[in-house]
Structure formats: structure tokens, C-alpha cells
Amino acid sequence: MIGKNQFNSVYRLHLYRKALQRLKQMGFVRVFSDNMADAAGVTPTQVRRDFASFGLTGQKRGGYSVQDLLANLDVTLGKERPQNAVVLGVGNIGHALLNYRGFTTAGIRVVAGFDSDPRKIDAKAAVPVLPLEKLRDFVNKNETRVAILAVPEDQAQAVFDLMIRAGIQGVLNFAPLRLTSPNDDVVVHNIDVGLEIEKILYLVNQMNKE
């Protein structure tokens, strides 16, 4: 099972990749761990440790080739070709995710949405919205192993179980219910938007008390 430390390391690799893309646009050909640390918000030591653990090498004095590092990160992160994903629950959040253009630049292709409400079904849309019962066949035919869950709390567990039976192995959960992986073959990441806002509000209130 993927542990928290490994999950955090992979998250930082994505930060480095985004930082490298920005630095490349600025004209950088080679970078040092200090450049990467500043751009990604970590320490130079952490950058070198992460790169070493994933076999990404550079020269002590010459730094890292931006082009080579980007190519190696793409291989490490599985971004040589677009990765398919589906959205389950096409309410306000789900609909926004279906149309989020940032996925494309990240190498993610949202290929379909699924919902239990017949009024939301539209198989002819640019990103088709299909009935939940078609999920298993769709993910098998379209090499899809990752899903975004955006259903109401009272439906989250049942839809999550359906996703697992359909063969989904990675779940980004926006439902306000914490879900846990049933086994070592499924990765779940929970995002509670309401809780995140509460944390920010608390910190803002604390700053105003000082």
C-alpha cells in the first residue's frame, strides 16, 4: 500500500515538474536544486533527496538539464501519454471538473462523467455523461483506472463501492465523507472543501486577534 511519505514525495515531483515548466518558459537551460527549491517551496536538500530516491541525477557544479529533467519526470510520473479519468456525480462540482481545462496541461484527459439522474445524461456531449450502470464497461474499454468522486455525502459510499467493483484503482474524493481504501490495490485521496475553508478561516481569525 502507498504510504503517506511516498504520496508526499510524488506530490513534490509534480511541484518540481510545474516549476521546471515555468523555468523553461523563462529561458532556463540548466537549473540547480536552489532554483527548484525556491520555485516549489521546499529546501534544496529536500529536492536533492527526492531526485536521488527516484534516480534523477545532475552534476554537482553544472546542475540539472531542464529538458532532460522534464523528460525523466514525465517517465517517472507516467506522463508520456495522456491518462484517462472519469467524474462520478455531475452536480455543480462535477460539472466544473468535466470542463476544467487545467487537466489537459497536466496530461489528464477526462473522458466521461457518470450520474444516476436521468436528466443529466447526455451521451452526445463533448465529454459524455452516462448512467452509472455503464461504468464498468466504460472503464474496461477505455483503459481508465482513475476517477473523481463528486456525489452527495449520502451516496458517496455506495458509489465508491461501485467504482471499486468496476476496476477503478485511484479515487480523488470531493464528497464530504472520508473514504478509506478497501485494499492495497486502491489509492484514495480525500478533499473536504468545507474543512479546508474552515482551516483558512481559523488562521485568518487568529491573525486578526494578534
Side-chain angles (χ1 to χ4, degrees):
M1 186 174 181
I2 295 177
K4 183 177 180 180
N5 288 338
Q6 186 178 0
F7 192 94
N8 289 338
S9 296
V10 172
Y11 173 73
R12 288 194 297 271
L13 288 188
H14 282 88
L15 288 180
Y16 302 147
R17 182 175 179 271
K18 282 191 172 184
L20 281 166
Q21 289 174 327
R22 291 196 300 270
L23 292 169
K24 182 180 179 181
Q25 290 175 348
M26 294 167 61
F28 281 74
V29 176
R30 302 192 72 83
V31 294
F32 295 87
S33 56
D34 299 63
N35 303 127
M36 297 299 301
D38 290 340
V42 296
T43 66
T45 300
Q46 184 66 67
V47 173
R48 291 191 293 270
R49 185 181 298 126
D50 287 337
F51 283 1
S53 66
F54 284 92
L56 303 171
T57 59
Q59 299 175 2
K60 187 172 182 180
R61 294 186 177 181
Y64 301 89
S65 162
V66 171
Q67 190 63 41
D68 290 347
L69 201 50
L70 274 172
N72 289 334
L73 280 171
D74 282 349
V75 172
T76 300
L77 297 171
K79 291 185 176 293
E80 309 99 307
R81 61 188 180 90
Q83 300 292 309
N84 291 343
V86 293
V87 175
L88 280 83
V90 190
N92 292 332
I93 293 178
H95 186 267
L97 291 168
L98 281 180
N99 296 283
Y100 178 55
R101 295 182 179 180
F103 285 139
T104 302
T105 58
I108 301 166
R109 181 170 54 201
V110 176
V111 290
F114 291 85
D115 206 283
S116 59
D117 186 347
R119 295 170 297 180
K120 296 177 181 176
I121 304 305
D122 186 357
K124 296 182 179 180
V127 180
V129 179
L130 307 172
L132 278 174
E133 56 265 26
K134 292 190 176 182
L135 178 64
R136 183 193 292 268
D137 287 342
F138 185 91
V139 299
N140 289 332
K141 291 177 181 177
N142 292 275
E143 297 183 1
T144 306
R145 294 293 176 262
V146 174
I148 303 170
L149 184 61
V151 299
E153 181 176 359
D154 60 348
Q155 300 176 25
Q157 188 63 57
V159 176
F160 177 66
D161 293 341
L162 175 66
M163 293 161 65
I164 303 308
R165 292 195 298 271
I168 293 295
Q169 294 177 293
V171 179
L172 180 61
N173 174 36
F174 280 93
L177 175 68
R178 185 172 183 80
L179 300 171
T180 57
S181 174
N183 54 59
D184 291 351
D185 297 325
V186 178
V187 179
V188 181
H189 185 52
N190 296 285
I191 298 179
D192 189 327
V193 177
L195 181 59
E196 295 301 321
I197 294 175
E198 286 180 2
K199 287 160 58 177
I200 292 173
L201 286 171
Y202 172 79
L203 294 173
V204 170
N205 290 334
Q206 290 300 112
M207 287 190 296
N208 289 332
K209 288 180 181 179
E210 296 177 356

